[in-house]
Amino acid sequence: MPAATDVPVTEVGTRVYTVPTDAPEGDGTLTWDSTTMVLVRLTGGGHTGIGWTYGPPAAAEVIRGELAELVRGRSCLDVQSGYHAMVAAVRNAGRPGLVSLAIAAVDTAWWDLRARVLGLPLHRLLGAERTAPVRVYGSGGFTTYDDNQLARQCEEWLELGVSYAKIKIGESWGANPARDLARMRLARQALGEDVELFVDANGAFTPKQATRLAATAEDLGVTWFEEPVTSDDLDGLRRVRDHVRPDVTAGEYGYDLTYFERMCAAGAVDCLQVDVSRCGGITEWQRIAAVAAAHHLPVSAHCAPALHLAAAAATPHLRHVEYFHDHVRIESRFFAGPVTAHDGALHPGDDPGNGLEFRESDAESYRVG
């Protein structure tokens, strides 16, 4: 049998799946009724690696038209060089946004393939010293929920044993702060005093609006204020950070290393959020985590909990992983493996690669294109 370094990637496959939400959903600046997964499978040496992103079906066209031929024929082990080749090839297509989602799906699949070829759990290949639980926080609490829906979801998070839970605020671009406060109080009551309350405005407020809201809600003990203003306004984030008690966080819309360096250097956040399904995959995640460490900042994984698990487990300054309602519904339905939290954490397994098995028959009814 040839050495692992001689095993080429022979197939690059993509599939698109769109899953309706279980209720209307919205945050401070957007509403939606479905979530789309773009799945990538890389095959080589008798193994198949799985990766994905959440975004428009057009990401699959980027993979087929711009990336697949670059990947096919390269060694299953040469993830980093393959990643940089993909980034170089899309210069004129534009790296941020859709193209970065496509790269992320391929990169995460490639890392999974590499670990499977080597017969190693992916979190061990990435440097995790041991199989330890990775803390999660409950995430949902959409602005479209009524009081009963919000209270019920808080109860579900408590059943998972979480120590932190996050709801959406900033309804209608910050136009209804009275309802924001009422929902925050309801969540605090439902969660009790032992669970940290997080809020996410998705950039709905101005700096002064965000500061006033945080002051009014100070008795609720909020410890995490995500995107109080748009993450494009680094100075605005820093000004809010300077005037509120909760940690100010952002970064989910970062697509490359330079974006995160600017955010860190601006003193804009207390915790850097990184999304492996958007930033370009595990290869870029590792570089971003190093930048955060150089600025003495912790890292939190944004959404896609099953996809993040291995990289999160190998990140020493990780704070937690977002256990986002939509993505948990999809990942627990589509995959067998370490996808469900218990005791407030996800638990990496000992199987090679990311430990996930794609349930194609369960996903088929959601396939599009």
Side-chain angles (χ1 to χ4, degrees):
M1 180 176 178
T5 51
D6 298 325
V7 175
V9 177
T10 55
E11 297 180 29
V12 181
T14 62
R15 296 278 178 90
V16 179
Y17 303 90
T18 295
V19 180
T21 58
D22 56 0
E25 294 180 357
D27 55 36
T29 57
L30 191 68
T31 59
W32 61 95
D33 59 12
S34 65
T35 301
T36 296
M37 169 190 280
V38 177
L39 183 87
V40 170
R41 285 186 279 201
L42 300 187
T43 301
H47 301 276
T48 298
I50 301 170
W52 65 93
T53 188
Y54 291 103
E61 294 303 319
V62 174
I63 294 165
R64 297 183 191 115
E66 304 289 336
L67 306 179
E69 285 304 313
L70 283 171
V71 176
R72 198 176 291 112
R74 288 180 178 266
S75 168
C76 293
L77 302 190
D78 290 347
V79 187
Q80 287 96 332
S81 66
Y83 169 82
H84 291 294
M86 289 190 288
V87 170
V90 300
R91 186 196 69 181
N92 291 345
R95 163 71 189 281
L98 182 70
V99 174
S100 188
L101 304 186
I103 293 173
V106 175
D107 183 85
T108 53
W110 207 335
W111 274 104
D112 182 37
L113 176 60
R114 179 181 185 180
R116 291 175 190 262
V117 167
L118 294 174
L120 290 171
L122 180 55
H123 64 283
R124 294 298 302 272
L125 177 61
L126 294 173
E129 295 183 0
R130 57 191 176 89
T131 301
V134 175
R135 306 302 297 178
V136 302
Y137 68 87
S139 174
F142 304 108
T143 57
T144 46
Y145 279 3
D146 62 28
D147 288 356
N148 289 333
Q149 288 172 300
L150 178 59
R152 185 165 59 249
Q153 189 169 65
C154 289
E155 291 169 2
E156 292 170 356
W157 291 333
L158 291 175
E159 291 171 2
L160 291 174
V162 300
S163 299
Y164 335 87
K166 185 177 79 180
I167 69 168
K168 301 289 191 180
I169 62 170
E171 180 182 349
S172 302
W173 289 90
N176 198 348
R179 184 165 187 260
D180 289 333
L181 288 164
R183 296 178 66 256
M184 291 163 70
R185 294 189 187 284
L186 174 61
R188 170 51 74 209
Q189 182 179 7
L191 293 168
E193 297 299 324
D194 295 332
V195 174
E196 292 189 33
L197 177 59
F198 294 0
V199 296
D200 181 1
N202 288 96
F205 297 122
T206 67
K208 286 193 174 181
Q209 281 180 311
T211 301
R212 286 195 297 269
L213 182 76
T216 306
E218 191 162 326
D219 63 305
L220 300 178
V222 175
T223 56
W224 174 280
F225 198 168
E226 184 174 330
E227 277 201 307
V229 303
T230 172
S231 54
D232 292 331
D233 183 4
L234 297 181
D235 183 64
L237 284 170
R238 182 190 54 76
R239 284 188 283 139
V240 175
R241 183 189 179 206
D242 287 344
H243 289 93
V244 302
R245 291 176 63 89
D247 285 348
V248 169
T249 70
E252 66 183 81
Y253 302 114
Y255 296 107
D256 57 45
L257 183 69
T258 304
Y259 173 99
F260 291 97
E261 164 56 25
R262 289 173 181 153
M263 183 169 280
C264 292
V269 295
D270 295 287
C271 180
L272 193 66
Q273 291 180 278
V274 189
D275 189 328
V276 77
S277 76
R278 290 178 176 172
C279 74
I282 291 171
T283 302
E284 195 78 334
W285 164 286
Q286 292 178 314
R287 304 202 309 159
I288 294 163
V291 167
H295 287 272
H296 307 283
L297 289 174
V299 168
S300 178
H302 173 264
C303 292
L307 188 66
H308 276 104
L309 179 55
T315 302
H317 52 302
L318 180 89
R319 184 174 286 188
H320 35 47
V321 172
E322 182 171 7
Y323 202 65
F324 181 56
H325 176 69
D326 286 357
H327 296 175
V328 171
R329 284 183 66 237
I330 294 170
E331 291 168 5
S332 61
R333 183 173 299 176
F334 285 8
F335 299 104
V339 295
T340 303
H342 57 88
D343 298 326
L346 288 168
H347 302 262
D350 296 320
D351 292 331
N354 58 25
L356 301 174
E357 178 185 345
F358 184 60
R359 295 169 170 155
E360 190 150 6
S361 60
D362 293 332
E364 185 60 29
S365 62
Y366 301 101
R367 185 177 171 189
V368 297

